[in-house]
């Protein structure tokens, strides 16, 4: 028997419950791995401590991320099952607003079937070309031994900047060893991904993407190349992580 819970916007956990529902629906459709549900739970815990909102330091990181993506020669957006279930439409929106970018599928718990379903989901949202799915075109990342050591020779392999939200630490570190600039979204400021990326946005991906698209569009119109370079140069990732932890530590107890 299936149980249907009514979600309404006035509920204090509305957005969090909505995200859970998207993940569970994605899991039932075969887009999300069972382990992805657990990873989402780890993210939720940090989000709770953040107060489920975009902090000032995350806002700064989003703006700097938009600068790095705009200055990139060839930025690639790496997606997995959780990212697809939560925000396939906004990923397509970001890809459109960047113009010179591409999207690549990259699964930690790989199955051919899940990869195919994810690629079909992106096609439904208007993406005509998706990388990482043609076995003939995959090349190994020398540092990694799992099946995720493969990247697309026309996608991540050629990219100068890789946007990898909700990524595993081994993979992020391997991308750094390949001399890629790495931008991530990770609610855990202590994860290896958060610590080893060039720009870590400590916030929920669901809140980040609309703001990131807005910053890309604003900076494209109003900022010069030098303005964008200055933004990146003045950014200190570890300081951003410290500030996120500070917010979590000082969360107020809502009762006397
Ligand atoms: P690492 O491998 O980097 O040390 P980990 O093993 O703890 O981290 P992974 O499962 O490899 O975690 O990566 C998933 C990351 O995504 C986690 O740090 C989790 O907190 C984060 N995360 C999950 N859901 C979201 C979300 N909706 N928005 C942002 N971050 C999220
Ligand atoms: Mg990990």
């Amino acid at each position: 028997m299936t149980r249907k819970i009514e979600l309404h916007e006035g509920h204090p956990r509305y957005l969090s419950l909505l995200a859970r529902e998207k993940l569970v629906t994605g899991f039932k459709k075969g887009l999300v791995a069972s382990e992805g549900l657990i990873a989402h739970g780890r993210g939720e815990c940090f989000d709770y401590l953040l107060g489920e909102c975009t902090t000032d330091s995350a806002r700064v990181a989003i703006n700097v991320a938009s600068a790095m993506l705009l200055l990139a020669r060839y930025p690639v957006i790496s997606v997995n099952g959780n990212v697809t279930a939560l925000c396939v439409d906004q990923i397509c929106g970001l890809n459109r607003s960047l113009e010179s970018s591409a999207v690549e599928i990259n699964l930690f718990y790989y199955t051919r079937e899940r990869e195919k379903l994810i690629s079909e989901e992106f096609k439904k949202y208007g993406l005509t070309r998706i990388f990482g799915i043609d076995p003939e075109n995959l090349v190994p990342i020398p540092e990694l031994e799992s099946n995720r050591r493969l990247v697309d020779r026309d996608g991540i392999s050629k990219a100068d900047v890789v946007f990898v939200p909700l990524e595993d630490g081994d993979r992020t570190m391997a991308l750094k060893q390949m001399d890629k600039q790495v931008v991530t979204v990770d609610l855990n400021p202590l994860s290896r991904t958060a610590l080893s990326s060039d720009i870590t946005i400590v916030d929920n991906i669901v809140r980040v993407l609309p703001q990131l698209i807005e910053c890309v569009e604003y900076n494209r119109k109003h900022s010069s190349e030098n303005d964008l370079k200055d933004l990146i140069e003045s950014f200190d990732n570890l300081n951003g992580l410290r500030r996120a932890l500070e917010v979590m530590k000082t969360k107020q107890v809502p009762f006397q």
Side-chain angles (χ1 to χ4, degrees), residues 73-74 76 104 131 137-142 149-162 171 175 178-180:
R73 174 184 44 76
Y74 182 41
V76 171
E104 178 162 336
F131 292 94
N137 224 31
L138 299 179
V139 290
I141 296 180
R149 74 188 192 281
L150 301 173
V151 292
D152 199 303
R153 74 158 58 83
D154 296 318
I156 288 176
S157 180
K158 266 188 8 198
D160 51 346
V161 175
V162 187
R171 180 58 194 266
L175 290 173
M178 289 167 79
D179 276 339
K180 308 290 178 193

Side-chain angles (χ1 to χ4, degrees), residues 39 42-43 166-169 186-188 191-193 203-205:
R42 178 172 291 170
L166 283 53
E167 183 56 277
D168 169 64
D186 194 329
L187 277 159
N188 178 4
S191 75
R192 293 168 308 152
T193 292
D203 196 4
N204 197 316
I205 185 146

Side-chain angles (χ1 to χ4, degrees), residues 19 23 35-36 38-44 46-47 80 82 86 108-109 165-173 185-196 201-206 208:
L23 256 296
E35 293 84 353
I38 298 167
H40 182 76
R42 178 172 291 170
E44 271 190 349
F46 287 101
D47 206 10
N80 61 23
N82 284 35
L86 287 172
F108 192 84
Y109 299 100
L166 283 53
E167 183 56 277
D168 169 64
D170 290 335
R171 180 58 194 266
T172 309
M173 289 188 280
V185 179
D186 194 329
L187 277 159
N188 178 4
L190 299 170
S191 75
R192 293 168 308 152
T193 292
L195 289 163
S196 55
I201 303 165
V202 183
D203 196 4
N204 197 316
I205 185 146
V206 171
V208 169

Side-chain angles (χ1 to χ4, degrees), residues 56-222:
D56 290 345
S57 61
R59 206 162 281 124
V60 169
I62 291 171
N63 196 34
V64 181
S66 77
M68 190 171 272
L69 290 166
L70 278 169
L71 286 179
R73 174 184 44 76
Y74 182 41
V76 171
I77 305 169
S78 172
V79 297
N80 61 23
N82 284 35
V83 171
T84 308
L86 287 172
C87 42
V88 58
D89 47 351
Q90 290 93 341
I91 289 285
C92 292
L94 176 66
N95 186 47
R96 275 193 304 274
S97 68
L98 286 172
E99 294 165 3
S100 64
S101 59
V103 177
E104 178 162 336
I105 300 178
N106 171 34
L107 305 180
F108 192 84
Y109 299 100
Y110 175 84
T111 66
R112 179 81 193 110
E113 178 60 12
R114 207 153 72 78
E115 183 182 78
K116 192 161 169 277
L117 288 167
I118 290 173
S119 118
E120 280 162 8
E121 191 71 5
F122 272 92
K123 286 194 178 133
K124 275 188 220 157
Y125 284 82
L127 192 72
T128 49
R129 180 141 195 226
I130 190 147
F131 292 94
I133 56 174
D134 176 3
E136 304 274 285
N137 224 31
L138 299 179
V139 290
I141 296 180
E143 290 78 12
L144 273 192
E145 281 173 17
S146 72
N147 58 15
R148 298 201 333 145
R149 74 188 192 281
L150 301 173
V151 292
D152 199 303
R153 74 158 58 83
D154 296 318
I156 288 176
S157 180
K158 266 188 8 198
D160 51 346
V161 175
V162 187
F163 179 54
V164 277
L166 283 53
E167 183 56 277
D168 169 64
D170 290 335
R171 180 58 194 266
T172 309
M173 289 188 280
L175 290 173
K176 281 311 300 166
Q177 279 164 32
M178 289 167 79
D179 276 339
K180 308 290 178 193
Q181 287 187 298
V182 176
V183 179
T184 194
V185 179
D186 194 329
L187 277 159
N188 178 4
L190 299 170
S191 75
R192 293 168 308 152
T193 292
L195 289 163
S196 55
S197 295
D198 296 281
I199 301 172
T200 303
I201 303 165
V202 183
D203 196 4
N204 197 316
I205 185 146
V206 171
R207 290 190 298 271
V208 169
L209 284 172
Q211 299 180 76
L212 182 57
I213 294 169
E214 215 176 284
C215 284
V216 164
E217 278 161 15
Y218 179 89
N219 282 323
R220 174 180 291 111
K221 276 198 205 123
H222 301 287

